[in-house]
Amino acid sequence: MVTKQHGRPGGATEAEFLSSYDIRNYDVPLLTVDVVMLALLEDRVCVQLVNRPEHPCRGMWALPGGFVDIHQDADLDAAASRVVSTKTGIQTPYIEQLGAFGDGARDPRGWTATVVYFALLDAELLPRDAAPRVLTDLRAKSMRLQTGEIVTGDGPVSAWTEADTAAGELNLAFDHASLLTAALARLRSKGTYSALPVNLLPATFTLSRCQAVFELVVGQRLEKSAFRRRLHDADLLEQVPGAFERGSNRPAALYRIKPGHEQTVFPGMLRGERSRR
Amino acid sequence: MVTKQHGRPGGATEAEFLSSYDIRNYDVPLLTVDVVMLALLEDRVCVQLVNRPEHPCRGMWALPGGFVDIHQDADLDAAASRVVSTKTGIQTPYIEQLGAFGDGARDPRGWTATVVYFALLDAELLPRDAAPRVLTDLRAKSMRLQTGEIVTGDGPVSAWTEADTAAGELNLAFDHASLLTAALARLRSKGTYSALPVNLLPATFTLSRCQAVFELVVGQRLEKSAFRRRLHDADLLEQVPGAFERGSNRPAALYRIKPGHEQTVFPGMLRGERSRR
DNA sequence: TGAATAGTGTCTATCAGACAGTATGAC
DNA sequence: GTCATACTGTCTGATAGACACTATTCA
């Protein structure tokens, strides 16, 4: 055990112990919070990335995150919420903890651990410029930044981009590609047994749109009748009285999530459309 | 954002940045790892607890854990494995991360975060003295320890005890009662859709014993025929050729987990025995 | 009226619990 | 033999996908 020292500054009573305890005497890991913010833009699962303005990994795209602030953050969830609201201005979307990842190699500053959250956002609440972009590695540019040719603030500091592309092809900072991959796997897995994907929908929506979102998330065609029965039996949605979406054909009833049902788990697994006979 | 300072020690190149970076200049949270070690003793779900020999919370029962050692632990999983092997001498049992919990109030030393793991152990591999005990709060005793009347090392430093009792009635150190509750909920939940509880079994076991373990975990009677079909369809177990458990009646075939199948997920949910007609 | 989408009813394949049956050994 | 436990086969109810049907609006 490395840290015998942690428990053994002098003092016989707990008060004496605490008064002689100073964390700065020990080698401790850094602790950060990173948030995988996902939203559907143009019917694609997209993630918000920030371009790091400072070392380490200056110029690389990364998940938004930050150090846990022991003076400002009441707890880890609050730290994650702070990151989300700082990046989007939206309060209380759906957010859940994905897990903690830490080792001595993922950050050049030393041994670091990060608690990763993933948040699902209604794209309609995002600013108008939140269209998915094709991102490129900006490190060549940031090398020029070092010479002072280009001041910081030039170029995009954050952007939404297609999540699978970002995880696979873009060279993300630190281990963020694997964090993003883990978040996407969680979303897709939960889509098969829980109502999680409804948190990607706007405040009101049609059942057809709801089905389309589930199909996007789980990557599989669903059968309309079975999907609607599933939603109905879960008692998850309520129809907005008198509200309809009028398009070019029969109007569709608008629904909203019943309060407190953002995490509904279905009784069975989603099996999806079988191959047609 | 609290931690602007974190990204902004001077230096134009990444190498210069890192050479001027010292974590000790910042207020950082403490990071620990705690492990909920569970095993079946006398057909009860039991947890290993340690009696804290030092401040803070001296004399209280707590989950085994320790500070992440940035010099010794390659990553968080390694830190958790170190805690398990230090406490039990057993290597590579089933272990998975439960999540991270952190705030400014859970530990009197200040803002701390802990990454919680839960491990499932085969009770047959534990030492003989690992029988479940009824534990009591030892703080009254430890008050005497402070006066020097009793030297440390007296009394049990670790013990196995019934998990639900420990979570509900024993006054555990820090927020360990809620961590234990969360781990038990995870175990019971996973028992309904995955083969997780098989990791509580010894190396070889009968199907009847396997069913009994699932019944203990999910707290519900199961139907024999359906349970066996579920196991068979999952292709999770293999019969040990020629090995039988001989009791007072027909011998039962012995099975073992197929290598790599410790985390099998069943296609459907476990529904359990319905009320008899 | 026809196209298009919304929404519903019914059939059926599949699956898991019910339960009775057989198998095998202890005594 | 009887009893106890191991193990299996068949029935049946429930669930969810298949698919056709009706409903409502727009052009």
Side-chain angles (χ1 to χ4, degrees):
Chain A
M1 295 265 288
V2 180
T3 49
K4 288 170 199 160
Q5 4 167 261
H6 257 294
R8 298 185 187 258
T13 70
E14 182 144 340
E16 286 170 25
F17 163 85
L18 289 171
S19 67
S20 70
Y21 184 88
D22 187 348
I23 183 179
R24 289 169 215 241
N25 297 334
Y26 312 104
D27 286 341
V28 296
L30 289 173
L31 183 63
T32 64
V33 170
D34 292 308
V35 184
V36 180
M37 285 189 268
L38 300 174
L40 288 180
L41 299 170
E42 298 172 6
D43 276 0
R44 288 181 288 172
V45 178
C46 291
V47 61
Q48 173 147 44
L49 299 177
V50 297
N51 196 266
R52 292 184 57 79
E54 299 288 346
H55 295 297
C57 299
R58 179 146 88 168
M60 296 178 77
W61 292 100
L63 296 172
F67 289 91
V68 170
D69 180 351
I70 67 173
H71 303 297
Q72 184 176 349
D73 300 321
D75 54 31
L76 290 172
D77 290 358
S81 296
R82 174 172 56 80
V83 170
V84 174
S85 61
T86 301
K87 281 292 152 196
T88 66
I90 299 174
Q91 56 274 48
T92 56
Y94 179 84
I95 189 164
E96 79 172 47
Q97 193 187 105
L98 184 65
F101 302 77
D103 61 48
R106 55 184 298 279
D107 187 312
R109 283 169 290 197
W111 216 109
T112 61
T114 184
V115 181
V116 181
Y117 285 77
F118 84 94
L120 301 182
L121 301 174
D122 163 16
E124 291 190 6
L125 296 182
L126 298 176
R128 282 278 158 270
D129 66 340
R133 302 190 210 177
V134 177
L135 303 180
T136 54
D137 195 324
L138 297 189
R139 273 178 300 174
K141 190 176 186 177
S142 70
M143 295 302 278
R144 279 181 279 132
L145 282 173
Q146 291 168 19
T147 68
E149 290 176 19
I150 304 173
V151 292
T152 53
D154 180 57
V157 294
S158 77
W160 287 87
T161 193
E162 207 271 316
D164 284 305
T165 308
E169 296 169 27
L170 203 59
N171 184 25
L172 296 184
F174 310 118
D175 57 351
H176 286 191
S178 63
L179 305 185
L180 175 55
T181 300
L184 290 169
R186 173 97 132 228
L187 170 64
R188 284 160 182 153
S189 167
K190 279 204 156 186
T192 66
Y193 65 85
S194 85
L196 191 66
V198 299
N199 296 290
L200 292 165
L201 288 160
T204 67
F205 48 86
T206 68
L207 295 183
S208 294
R209 179 61 187 161
C210 183
Q211 180 178 339
V213 166
F214 271 79
E215 288 175 342
L216 283 169
V217 167
V218 304
Q220 193 180 19
R221 294 278 301 172
L222 303 176
E223 205 282 324
K224 180 168 60 172
S225 172
F227 180 76
R228 289 176 180 222
R229 185 169 42 213
R230 192 175 170 82
L231 284 183
H232 180 268
D233 293 349
D235 195 32
L236 165 72
L237 305 179
E238 59 186 5
Q239 192 175 349
V240 183
F244 292 87
E245 184 179 272
R246 310 187 79 83
S248 60
N249 295 99
R250 174 175 173 174
L254 286 171
Y255 288 79
R256 62 182 166 227
I257 305 166
K258 282 191 182 180
H261 288 243
E262 292 81 3
Q263 299 198 65
T264 299
V265 173
F266 295 116
M269 302 281 282
L270 188 65
R271 290 199 280 232
E273 205 171 39
R274 283 194 272 265
S275 60
R276 295 299 176 100
R277 295 171 190 166
Chain B
M1 294 270 286
V2 180
T3 50
K4 286 170 198 162
Q5 10 169 253
H6 259 294
R8 301 189 184 251
T13 71
E14 182 144 341
E16 288 169 24
F17 164 85
L18 289 172
S19 67
S20 69
Y21 184 87
D22 188 348
I23 182 180
R24 288 168 215 242
N25 297 333
Y26 312 104
D27 285 340
V28 296
L30 288 172
L31 184 63
T32 64
V33 170
D34 291 308
V35 185
V36 180
M37 286 190 268
L38 301 174
L40 288 179
L41 299 170
E42 299 173 8
D43 275 1
R44 287 181 288 171
V45 177
C46 291
V47 60
Q48 174 147 44
L49 298 177
V50 298
N51 196 265
R52 292 185 56 82
E54 298 289 345
H55 294 297
C57 297
R58 178 146 90 170
M60 296 177 78
W61 292 100
L63 297 172
F67 288 91
V68 170
D69 180 350
I70 67 173
H71 303 297
Q72 184 177 351
D73 300 322
D75 54 31
L76 290 172
D77 290 358
S81 295
R82 174 173 56 79
V83 170
V84 174
S85 61
T86 301
K87 280 290 151 196
T88 66
I90 300 174
Q91 56 273 49
T92 58
Y94 178 85
I95 189 165
E96 80 171 44
Q97 193 187 106
L98 183 65
F101 303 77
D103 61 48
R106 56 183 297 280
D107 188 312
R109 283 168 292 197
W111 215 108
T112 61
T114 184
V115 181
V116 181
Y117 285 77
F118 84 95
L120 300 183
L121 301 173
D122 162 17
E124 291 190 4
L125 296 181
L126 298 177
R128 282 279 158 271
D129 66 341
R133 303 192 209 175
V134 176
L135 303 181
T136 53
D137 195 326
L138 297 189
R139 273 177 300 173
K141 189 176 188 177
S142 69
M143 295 300 280
R144 277 181 279 131
L145 282 173
Q146 292 168 18
T147 69
E149 292 178 17
I150 304 173
V151 292
T152 52
D154 178 58
V157 294
S158 76
W160 287 87
T161 193
E162 205 271 317
D164 284 305
T165 307
E169 295 170 26
L170 204 58
N171 185 23
L172 296 184
F174 309 118
D175 57 351
H176 287 191
S178 61
L179 305 184
L180 174 55
T181 300
L184 290 170
R186 173 96 132 227
L187 170 64
R188 284 161 182 153
S189 166
K190 279 203 159 188
T192 66
Y193 64 86
S194 85
L196 191 67
V198 299
N199 296 290
L200 291 165
L201 288 161
T204 67
F205 49 86
T206 68
L207 295 183
S208 295
R209 179 62 188 158
C210 183
Q211 180 177 339
V213 167
F214 271 79
E215 288 174 342
L216 284 169
V217 167
V218 303
Q220 193 179 20
R221 296 277 304 171
L222 302 176
E223 204 283 324
K224 181 166 58 175
S225 173
F227 181 77
R228 288 176 181 224
R229 184 170 43 212
R230 191 176 171 82
L231 283 183
H232 180 267
D233 293 349
D235 194 32
L236 165 72
L237 305 179
E238 60 186 5
Q239 194 175 348
V240 183
F244 292 87
E245 184 179 273
R246 310 188 79 81
S248 59
N249 296 97
R250 175 176 172 175
L254 287 171
Y255 288 79
R256 61 182 165 228
I257 304 166
K258 283 190 181 178
H261 287 244
E262 292 81 3
Q263 298 199 62
T264 299
V265 173
F266 295 116
M269 302 281 282
L270 187 66
R271 290 199 279 230
E273 203 171 40
R274 281 194 273 266
S275 60
R276 296 299 176 101
R277 296 170 190 168

